[in-house]
Amino acid sequence: MREALKKARLEKGYTVAEIANLLKVTPAVYYKWEDGSRDPLIENARQVSILLEKSIEELFFDNALDKTSNY
């Protein structure tokens, strides 16, 4: 589950159906991005980040992984 993505959507007051409509995808596709079962194309990720005013990294990447990496 991408909690940051869901939290950002809710903070902006969007339902899944509303944000999906703005992004020109189906609610099912958006929900799969949010539940982590699918990844958006980079252009879609960029559009989501603009709408939600967050970086792609904040929305789609698990920061916990960065803490354990050697990079």
Side-chain angles (χ1 to χ4, degrees):
M1 186 73 155
R2 291 184 170 122
E3 292 296 330
L5 182 57
K6 182 177 181 178
K7 181 180 176 188
R9 174 180 57 80
L10 294 173
E11 286 174 354
K12 288 292 185 181
Y14 292 123
T15 66
V16 169
E18 289 168 336
I19 197 165
N21 185 53
L22 292 169
L23 295 166
K24 297 180 178 33
V25 299
T26 66
V29 167
Y30 182 85
Y31 185 75
K32 287 179 182 182
W33 298 343
E34 203 169 269
D35 79 6
S37 63
R38 303 258 345 233
D39 293 322
L41 298 174
I42 191 66
E43 182 56 31
N44 290 333
R46 189 177 76 76
Q47 290 299 321
V48 171
S49 73
I50 290 168
L51 279 172
L52 299 179
E53 300 178 352
K54 301 280 184 182
S55 72
I56 290 172
E57 291 81 8
E58 287 176 281
L59 297 172
F60 295 101
F61 293 96
D62 182 357
N63 292 333
L65 294 176
D66 294 339
K67 294 176 185 173
T68 61
S69 72
N70 293 325
Y71 301 102

